[in-house]
Amino acid sequence: MMSPYLPIVIMLLAAALIGIISMVVGVLIRPSKPDESKLSVYECGMPEFSDARKRYNVRFYVIAMLFVIFDVEIVFLFPWAVAFDKVGLLGLTSVFVFLIILIVGYFYDWKKGVLEWE
């Protein structure tokens, strides 16, 4: 009797094999002519002018977190949209409550000035 995990194992092995083969083929066929400009830190032509480990404004992280929150919202809405005809009135009201909570949070952030750049 075939194990129910056999297709998963085969898929993982196939993915690993494709990755390994593509790396080996890349090493074998790529051109390799290192010179001083290729071995420099910035090949794009711009010399470094300051330390790359500078501090960033906290607002970048706040905007990123808001972006992640609204992405997660969309991920939770896809299954609801697929099963819309099966969830009924309870599913509809739960999605509206979910959206209202997120919209209230968005307006709270907006009123607090989190989304404003000065």
Side-chain angles (χ1 to χ4, degrees):
M1 186 167 146
M2 188 158 89
S3 170
Y5 295 110
L6 185 62
I8 296 172
V9 171
I10 291 172
M11 193 69 169
L12 288 173
L13 289 174
L17 189 64
I18 288 171
I20 291 169
I21 288 173
S22 64
M23 287 175 58
V24 168
V25 168
V27 167
L28 293 176
I29 66 171
R30 74 174 177 217
S32 179
K33 296 179 183 176
D35 59 356
E36 186 177 336
S37 64
K38 288 282 187 186
L39 297 176
S40 68
V41 178
Y42 294 102
E43 186 183 0
C44 66
M46 294 185 61
E48 63 182 67
F49 54 87
S50 68
D51 190 18
R53 297 173 295 199
K54 63 181 180 179
R55 300 191 82 155
Y56 287 102
N57 195 341
V58 174
R59 291 188 177 142
F60 287 112
Y61 300 110
V62 172
I63 296 296
M65 289 303 295
L66 287 173
F67 180 74
V68 168
I69 288 170
F70 285 106
D71 274 358
V72 170
E73 171 194 358
I74 296 300
V75 167
F76 282 132
L77 285 178
F78 275 130
W80 174 80
V82 169
F84 178 71
D85 57 346
K86 297 181 184 91
V87 293
L89 187 60
L90 179 65
L92 183 65
T93 55
S94 64
V95 164
F96 277 130
V97 169
F98 177 69
L99 289 175
I100 287 171
I101 290 171
L102 284 172
I103 290 170
V104 166
Y106 176 73
F107 282 120
Y108 175 77
D109 287 341
W110 188 14
K111 290 296 182 187
K112 292 284 279 185
V114 172
L115 302 175
E116 306 222 353
W117 295 94
E118 295 175 358

